[in-house]
Amino acid sequence: MNVGVLALQGDFREHLSALGECGVKGKLVKTVAEIAEVDALIIPGGESTTISKLAKAFDLFDLISKRIADGMPTYGSCAGMILVAKKIIDPASGQDTFGGIDMEVRRNAFGRQTESFEFDLEFKPFPGAPIRGVFIRAPWVESQGAKVEILASIDVAGKSHPVAVRQGSVLATAFHPELTGDNRVHRYFLETVCKK
Ligand code: GLN
């Protein structure tokens, strides 16, 4: 399987390394031809406004949106989660999303005081074996449709907020497993989401 990592901006190299640790030789992609060729795509963490604007500037926006809508397995972390959401609650001007998951996300949801933090998360596919969530100016899921499976959540002020979700062939995490050296989320993407 040909797995691409969208390399417009953000921590795409870390995702490439995580794929390598899973025994998959990924490919950094940033042209129409490269994106047309991949079987699956990872959208990295970074700045979702920048990635969205660059995707439009390089004429990739509609292609990526269409490939996701057509069922290409896709995994977005942090900014990537924002980009696969159907809707952003507080978008920057000119910021659009590729779509893929029927959810509304709130950018920078954890607020100033906890812009960055780490937290051990119960991740539904690995019961009893928490994964370390690295959150950097992370979003959370504010609302989601019935077809969206919640894989991990965080409680803030007595309210539970999803931070890892899946809808069919699209996976998204508000946190960055590519920064921890624990590649179980990447394996879950490769071995379960991509094979659905
Ligand atoms: N806050 C960033 C955004 O809105 C995401 C941050 C991240 O990817 N670490 O795109």
Side-chain angles (χ1 to χ4, degrees), residues 28-55:
L28 297 181
V29 293
K30 56 178 172 188
T31 66
V32 166
E34 287 165 346
I35 290 163
E37 264 178 18
V38 295
D39 304 310
L41 185 68
I42 293 180
I43 305 172
E47 191 51 55
S48 56
T49 44
T50 308
I51 297 174
S52 157
K53 284 177 187 165
L54 288 173

Side-chain angles (χ1 to χ4, degrees), residues 44-49 77-80 82 95 107-108 136-139 176:
E47 191 51 55
S48 56
T49 44
S77 72
C78 203
I82 296 168
Q95 178 177 23
R107 297 180 62 208
N108 305 326
I136 305 169
R137 299 200 310 116
H176 294 266

